[in-house]
Amino acid sequence: WGREGSYASIKLGAYAPVRDALGAGKDAPFYLKFLAGAITGGVGSIVGNPFDVMKTLAQANKGKAVPLGTLVGNMYHDQGIAGFYRGLGANIGRACVLNATKMGVYDISKGQVADATGWDRKDPRTVFMSSVMSGFCMTITVSPWDMIRTKLMNQPTDAKLYDGFVDCLVKTVQEGGVLSLWRGFIPIWARFAPTATIQLLTIETLYSTFGYAQI
């Protein structure tokens, strides 16, 4: 909840204002829409990184469930404040790629779907189809980042298995080959597709409810 409350609220809620500030309107070049998504995703990941680390450690724990307070205490004792920001580089990279793909593809897809079908950009059918396209593209671009980020964050609190993003990437490819970076593609897509659809339908509804311009 802490991760989604911080990271997701920034990457989704701030997209339209940042996009408009960059001048990435309806007919703007695609790279401006991707830039807006990357900025909001990157900022959100910095704020949410401590929650991400704790979530990963809690989920990876194989023994008796460890209370959150104990995990936080152990991390602070072993690595200090810096421990809560391990894997930050990979997390920022992942968030920038994820949100740039998610919001950029979604924004562009809405225009293409609306032009092809005659539906309005605000039509739930347009939002749904664009969200599905966005979820698929997200899976392609984000899977390698997800793999590396998880490995970095899942290191024991009292040990360091990798010397950063590049070292983890090299070792992962050496152990399983390049395609291992997309291991679990179908489950990841099965997770991204409905999540993206629900999030984007929700944010569009909130924008409309509170009088903001929709994506």
Side-chain angles (χ1 to χ4, degrees):
W1 180 86
R3 174 186 183 273
E4 293 303 320
S6 55
Y7 169 55
S9 61
I10 293 173
K11 74 174 184 177
L12 293 174
Y15 173 75
V18 171
R19 177 200 62 187
D20 293 343
L22 293 173
K26 179 180 178 182
D27 299 318
F30 74 92
Y31 60 81
L32 286 179
K33 300 178 187 292
F34 277 67
L35 178 60
I39 291 172
T40 55
V43 173
S45 71
I46 294 173
V47 176
N49 203 83
F51 298 107
D52 235 348
V53 171
M54 291 297 100
K55 174 186 74 75
T56 302
L57 287 175
Q59 291 178 332
N61 181 49
K62 297 179 181 179
K64 185 179 179 181
V66 179
L68 178 61
T70 302
L71 284 174
V72 172
N74 290 342
M75 176 62 79
Y76 183 76
H77 177 268
D78 293 333
Q79 299 188 24
I81 294 297
F84 296 99
Y85 286 91
R86 65 183 184 177
L88 180 62
N91 210 21
I92 292 175
R94 173 191 181 273
C96 288
V97 171
L98 184 151
N99 214 48
T101 305
K102 180 178 189 175
M103 304 308 293
V105 170
Y106 173 71
D107 203 340
I108 294 169
S109 295
K110 282 188 73 175
Q112 293 178 339
V113 170
D115 291 342
T117 62
W119 300 336
D120 189 81
R121 284 178 65 93
K122 299 179 182 179
D123 192 307
R125 294 172 295 180
T126 304
V127 174
F128 176 78
M129 290 187 66
S130 301
S131 299
V132 172
M133 294 179 191
S134 175
F136 179 74
C137 292
M138 282 165 57
T139 309
I140 295 173
T141 60
V142 174
S143 291
W145 294 89
D146 243 353
M147 173 76 73
I148 302 305
R149 181 198 66 151
T150 300
K151 287 191 171 188
L152 288 171
M153 289 186 172
N154 200 29
Q155 298 174 91
T157 60
D158 57 351
K160 190 175 183 180
L161 305 179
Y162 306 104
D163 294 322
F165 177 84
V166 175
D167 181 54
C168 184
L169 174 63
V170 170
K171 289 180 178 177
T172 300
V173 172
Q174 288 176 339
E175 291 171 3
V178 174
L179 291 181
S180 68
L181 296 173
W182 282 270
R183 186 174 297 152
F185 183 89
I186 298 301
I188 294 173
W189 184 23
R191 170 195 164 210
F192 276 161
T195 301
T197 301
I198 293 170
Q199 287 181 339
L200 291 167
L201 280 168
T202 301
I203 197 67
E204 291 278 30
T205 301
L206 290 174
Y207 276 150
S208 177
T209 300
F210 291 100
Y212 294 104
Q214 290 184 287
I215 298 172

Short mmCIF file of all heavy atoms in Angstrom, two decimals, residues 15 18 22 30-40 100:
data_model
loop_
_atom_site.label_atom_id
_atom_site.label_comp_id
_atom_site.label_asym_id
_atom_site.label_seq_id
_atom_site.Cartn_x
_atom_site.Cartn_y
_atom_site.Cartn_z
N TYR A 15 1.05 12.89 -14.56
CA TYR A 15 1.35 12.77 -15.99
C TYR A 15 0.74 13.90 -16.82
O TYR A 15 1.44 14.57 -17.59
CB TYR A 15 0.87 11.43 -16.54
CG TYR A 15 1.01 11.33 -18.05
CD1 TYR A 15 2.26 11.16 -18.64
CD2 TYR A 15 -0.09 11.48 -18.89
CE1 TYR A 15 2.40 11.10 -20.02
CE2 TYR A 15 0.04 11.42 -20.27
CZ TYR A 15 1.28 11.23 -20.83
OH TYR A 15 1.41 11.20 -22.19
N VAL A 18 2.34 17.38 -16.25
CA VAL A 18 3.70 17.42 -16.80
C VAL A 18 3.66 17.40 -18.31
O VAL A 18 4.40 18.14 -18.99
CB VAL A 18 4.54 16.24 -16.26
CG1 VAL A 18 5.88 16.15 -16.98
CG2 VAL A 18 4.77 16.39 -14.76
N LEU A 22 5.05 20.37 -20.84
CA LEU A 22 6.03 20.13 -21.90
C LEU A 22 5.48 20.47 -23.28
O LEU A 22 6.21 20.43 -24.27
CB LEU A 22 6.47 18.65 -21.88
CG LEU A 22 7.28 18.20 -20.68
CD1 LEU A 22 7.49 16.67 -20.74
CD2 LEU A 22 8.63 18.91 -20.63
N PHE A 30 5.68 11.99 -30.43
CA PHE A 30 5.52 10.92 -29.44
C PHE A 30 6.55 11.00 -28.33
O PHE A 30 6.29 10.63 -27.19
CB PHE A 30 5.59 9.56 -30.14
CG PHE A 30 6.98 9.15 -30.55
CD1 PHE A 30 7.78 8.40 -29.69
CD2 PHE A 30 7.49 9.50 -31.79
CE1 PHE A 30 9.06 8.01 -30.07
CE2 PHE A 30 8.77 9.14 -32.16
CZ PHE A 30 9.55 8.39 -31.31
N TYR A 31 7.78 11.48 -28.66
CA TYR A 31 8.83 11.46 -27.66
C TYR A 31 8.53 12.41 -26.50
O TYR A 31 9.00 12.19 -25.37
CB TYR A 31 10.19 11.78 -28.28
CG TYR A 31 10.31 13.13 -28.95
CD1 TYR A 31 10.55 14.28 -28.20
CD2 TYR A 31 10.20 13.24 -30.33
CE1 TYR A 31 10.67 15.53 -28.83
CE2 TYR A 31 10.32 14.48 -30.96
CZ TYR A 31 10.55 15.61 -30.20
OH TYR A 31 10.65 16.83 -30.81
N LEU A 32 7.73 13.45 -26.72
CA LEU A 32 7.36 14.34 -25.62
C LEU A 32 6.41 13.65 -24.66
O LEU A 32 6.50 13.84 -23.44
CB LEU A 32 6.72 15.62 -26.16
CG LEU A 32 7.66 16.62 -26.82
CD1 LEU A 32 6.87 17.83 -27.33
CD2 LEU A 32 8.73 17.08 -25.84
N LYS A 33 5.51 12.83 -25.18
CA LYS A 33 4.60 12.06 -24.33
C LYS A 33 5.40 11.03 -23.51
O LYS A 33 5.14 10.81 -22.32
CB LYS A 33 3.53 11.37 -25.17
CG LYS A 33 2.65 12.33 -25.97
CD LYS A 33 1.65 11.58 -26.83
CE LYS A 33 0.90 12.51 -27.77
NZ LYS A 33 0.01 13.42 -27.05
N PHE A 34 6.38 10.39 -24.17
CA PHE A 34 7.22 9.43 -23.47
C PHE A 34 8.06 10.14 -22.40
O PHE A 34 8.27 9.59 -21.31
CB PHE A 34 8.13 8.69 -24.45
CG PHE A 34 7.46 7.53 -25.13
CD1 PHE A 34 6.41 7.75 -26.02
CD2 PHE A 34 7.86 6.23 -24.89
CE1 PHE A 34 5.78 6.68 -26.65
CE2 PHE A 34 7.22 5.16 -25.52
CZ PHE A 34 6.18 5.39 -26.41
N LEU A 35 8.54 11.33 -22.70
CA LEU A 35 9.34 12.09 -21.73
C LEU A 35 8.51 12.44 -20.50
O LEU A 35 8.99 12.33 -19.36
CB LEU A 35 9.88 13.36 -22.38
CG LEU A 35 10.69 14.30 -21.46
CD1 LEU A 35 11.92 13.58 -20.91
CD2 LEU A 35 11.11 15.56 -22.22
N ALA A 36 7.28 12.86 -20.71
CA ALA A 36 6.40 13.18 -19.58
C ALA A 36 6.19 11.96 -18.69
O ALA A 36 6.24 12.06 -17.45
CB ALA A 36 5.05 13.69 -20.10
N GLY A 37 5.98 10.81 -19.30
CA GLY A 37 5.82 9.57 -18.53
C GLY A 37 7.08 9.19 -17.79
O GLY A 37 7.04 8.73 -16.65
N ALA A 38 8.23 9.38 -18.44
CA ALA A 38 9.50 9.04 -17.80
C ALA A 38 9.77 9.93 -16.59
O ALA A 38 10.26 9.47 -15.56
CB ALA A 38 10.64 9.19 -18.82
N ILE A 39 9.48 11.22 -16.71
CA ILE A 39 9.71 12.14 -15.60
C ILE A 39 8.86 11.78 -14.39
O ILE A 39 9.37 11.66 -13.26
CB ILE A 39 9.41 13.59 -16.04
CG1 ILE A 39 10.46 14.07 -17.05
CG2 ILE A 39 9.38 14.53 -14.83
CD1 ILE A 39 10.14 15.42 -17.68
N THR A 40 7.57 11.58 -14.60
CA THR A 40 6.69 11.27 -13.47
C THR A 40 7.00 9.89 -12.89
O THR A 40 6.93 9.69 -11.67
CB THR A 40 5.21 11.36 -13.88
OG1 THR A 40 4.97 10.50 -15.01
CG2 THR A 40 4.85 12.77 -14.26
N ALA A 100 6.98 5.70 -19.18
CA ALA A 100 7.07 6.28 -20.52
C ALA A 100 6.31 5.42 -21.51
O ALA A 100 5.55 5.93 -22.35
CB ALA A 100 8.54 6.41 -20.94
#
